[in-house]
Structures are given as structure tokens and as C-alpha cells.
Amino acid sequence: MTQFIIEEQRHIQGATGEFTSLLNDIVTACKVISNLVNHGELVGVLGSAESENVQGETQKKLDIISNDVFIKSNEWSGHVAAMASEEMDDIYPIPERYPRGKYLLTFDPLDGSSNIDVNVSVGTIFSILRCPDGIENPTKEDFLQPGTKQICAGYALYGPSSIMVLTTGNGVNGFTLDQNIGEFVLTHPKMNIPEDTVEFAINASNMRFWDAPIKRYVDECLAGKTGVRGQDFNMRWIASMVAEVHRILTRGGVFMYPLDEKNREQGGRLRLMYEANPMSMIIEQAGGVSSTGFERIMDVEPNNLHQRIPVILGSKNEVERIVQYHQQA
């Protein structure tokens, strides 16, 4: 993976190597988290931490541990000016004893952590932004950049094998962790999402809260060959966004966590900065579409670090159909 990143950076005029070094630090953090996930109860990292994050969600022990791993792996190198995490109320400024760099790092250290105790795939999501010019001590406002400003987005999936998927704005590539040599090796070059699909993922337990456009779409899918779509669809739901997106990148599909009566007051369910923006960059770079149902996610101007947003992403033709239903409503 290091070789791949260096070769990619050679095409960038004026590249200094800082970005490559930052990505290597992120890779190191993901290797550590992968090892912890793989050992689970053997090293005592499962179970509840009996605390809540800023969103009021119960934290798992591994949420806190993974957050600390990401911070410790990236605070010392001089490549990052500040960090922001789903698990922290405020940004994390780089301590005075370390130099500060020109990048801002946002991350969800352990997406899908509610699944960790039942041995279902979880992951890490991250995004890299540029620190505004002339800013030595970034504030939370400096992080509030739309998704179009991201220079890199990626995730690590900790499943039967550990896989890292990455985009720097020039397509999407996947790397599998070779445990024998401790390195991520390119195994999924130029990942591309099929424009059409017969799979959709949504939490059907929220059906009674859905707005009419989502009900219409799901009803048409469930009607199968006897309905207006004239074909059968399969429904999936893992409750781990990393796993859902990885399936879509691998074979197509659509993932929905829409705006509904249950989450309308919050503005949606998923976090714009830590989940929706980085995943949207990956999806778009692989030929898919990512929308709130009303607008492109990466065009949304953030108003706070923990802003929530509805998410509909995946295969182009299906997402565009759902967007059309919202426009007609």
C-alpha cells in the first residue's frame, strides 16, 4: 500500500511526501484496531464501557480504545493540525510538544460497534481535509468544509479479512491485510459500482416512520416480478455502514438511512462529517451516487461537527430513481 500511495503522489506537482506519511500513520492505526478486533474477548476489549458519546449513544470499550489508537498514531508526526472524532465532543488540537501539519483528520474509529459483541463486521471511516491557509490553531469552524473539499477518504473493514478501501480523488482501490507480512496488499484495483442492482439495504423496523417516497420505493422492490418493476429484489441489513458500503462496492446495491418521523428533528441519522461525506466520496469515485434524497451529500455545507443527515447511496440508477420519487412527492 505504501508503494501504491507513493506512486500515486508522484503524479502530483509539488508533492512533499507529507500526505503519504499521514496515510501511513492512518494505516498503522487501522492495523492496531484490526488486531484488537480479531482478538476480542481474549484481550478484554468487548462489552460496554458504561459511558455515552456526544450523541448520547452507549459506548463500547473498543469505541474508546480505537479512538485513543487513532489519536496516538497521528498526533506526533507533524502532518496533522487537529483531529475530530465521532466519539469526542470537541476537536482534538495537537499537543504543544508536537509539530503541527497542514491537514485536518476526521474519523469514526469504530463504525457499527453495536455489532462487535456478536462478531459481526465493523470498521473505521476516515477523511482528510486541508487546514485553511494561515491557521496555526484550528477551531471546529475550520473543519466545517463540504465533502467536495475532501482530499482523501477511506475505510477499513474488519471482517473475515481486514480490508482498507481508499480514494484520493482518482478512483477507488482496495487493499487486504496480509497477516503474514503485516502489510495491506492491493487486491481490489479500480473498484466500480454497477449502475443497476437488485439489492437494497434499509432498516425495515422503521417502516412505520418512513416518508412516502421511501415507502413507494421499498414497496415496489418487495412486489418483485408481480409489481411495476417486473423483477425480484433482495433486502440486506447489517447495521454497519462500512460493511454495507463494501458490499455495494463489490457487487452493487443501494443503502438507505432516510429522513423519517423518527429522526426528522435531528436532521437524519448518520453523521455528515464522520460517515456520510467520506463514504459519499468513495461511492462517487466508484461511479455511484450519494444523496440525501433532496441534494448531493457532498454539496451540503456543514453547520456543526456532529451534524446528522439522511443518506441514500449506491448504484446510480437506483439512487436516481429514489431521488426522483422525492422530487415528485
Side-chain angles (χ1 to χ4, degrees), residues 298-326:
M298 289 209 297
D299 286 337
V300 174
E301 293 284 344
N303 56 45
N304 69 77
L305 278 179
H306 298 283
Q307 179 178 347
R308 294 179 186 254
I309 194 169
V311 173
I312 301 166
L313 56 76
S315 293
K316 178 177 182 291
N317 291 338
E318 292 304 301
V319 175
E320 289 183 348
R321 175 183 288 270
I322 300 167
V323 170
Q324 183 182 30
Y325 288 176
H326 280 80

Side-chain angles (χ1 to χ4, degrees), residues 129-140:
L129 301 161
R130 288 195 184 277
C131 186
D133 291 339
I135 301 296
E136 294 184 4
N137 298 297
T139 64
K140 64 177 64 176

Side-chain angles (χ1 to χ4, degrees), residues 33 36-37 40-41 43-69 85-88 108-123 239 269 271:
I33 297 170
L36 290 168
V37 170
E41 198 63 73
V43 291
V45 297
L46 300 186
S48 173
E50 298 184 356
S51 60
E52 293 183 347
N53 63 16
V54 64
Q55 289 88 23
E57 298 166 334
T58 301
Q59 291 176 305
K60 299 291 186 178
K61 292 178 184 177
L62 203 48
D63 281 320
I64 298 171
I65 295 170
S66 299
N67 193 72
D68 290 342
V69 165
S85 166
E86 181 183 315
E87 299 300 326
M88 299 187 295
D108 178 354
L110 199 66
D111 177 74
S113 59
S114 60
N115 286 324
I116 190 68
D117 292 341
V118 292
N119 207 25
V120 173
S121 296
V122 295
R269 171 64 180 172
R271 289 80 174 174

Side-chain angles (χ1 to χ4, degrees), residues 73-87:
S73 295
N74 289 281
E75 68 177 354
W76 61 274
S77 62
H79 307 311
V80 176
M83 292 180 266
S85 166
E86 181 183 315
E87 299 300 326

Side-chain angles (χ1 to χ4, degrees), residues 13-39:
Q13 188 174 3
T16 63
E18 274 190 76
F19 181 67
T20 299
S21 296
L22 170 55
L23 281 176
N24 279 332
D25 293 339
I26 292 171
V27 168
T28 298
C30 291
K31 288 179 185 177
V32 174
I33 297 170
S34 172
N35 185 61
L36 290 168
V37 170
N38 287 339
H39 283 83

